[in-house]
Amino acid sequence: MNQDCRIYTEYSPTNPPEHPGENWTRFVCISDTHSETRFIIPPGDVLLHGGDLSAWGSYGDLRETFDWLAALPHELKM
């Protein structure tokens, strides 16, 4: 079995798989949040947001979403 990577497509956000160790980088991928900031985002090293950050693209929508993303503990956010 290849242990170069592990891919999880389904898991409980409140009980994600254990981080495999310090020599690994955990990527967390999200998208289509549409200004919602109540999601439970699993812990990880890198957070990737694939798009559709806001509902309407207004400054207020984007500011709220950026503030939420900034408060998440991931070391790197893209």
Side-chain angles (χ1 to χ4, degrees), residues 1-36:
M1 180 172 180
N2 181 346
Q3 287 299 303
D4 292 337
C5 71
R6 296 180 188 169
I7 299 171
Y8 300 95
T9 58
E10 293 184 31
Y11 56 85
S12 168
T14 58
N15 189 24
E18 186 175 320
H19 195 292
E22 65 182 47
N23 294 327
W24 290 68
T25 301
R26 174 173 274 178
F27 291 87
V28 177
C29 304
I30 62 173
S31 68
D32 300 297
T33 52
H34 298 283
S35 300
E36 287 295 324

Side-chain angles (χ1 to χ4, degrees), residues 16-65:
E18 186 175 320
H19 195 292
E22 65 182 47
N23 294 327
W24 290 68
T25 301
R26 174 173 274 178
F27 291 87
V28 177
C29 304
I30 62 173
S31 68
D32 300 297
T33 52
H34 298 283
S35 300
E36 287 295 324
T37 59
R38 295 174 291 193
F39 295 105
I40 297 171
I41 306 299
D45 305 301
V46 179
L47 177 65
L48 302 169
H49 195 297
D52 289 337
L53 286 165
S54 71
W56 298 103
S58 70
Y59 177 80
D61 283 348
L62 288 170
R63 181 79 270 151
E64 183 176 342
T65 303

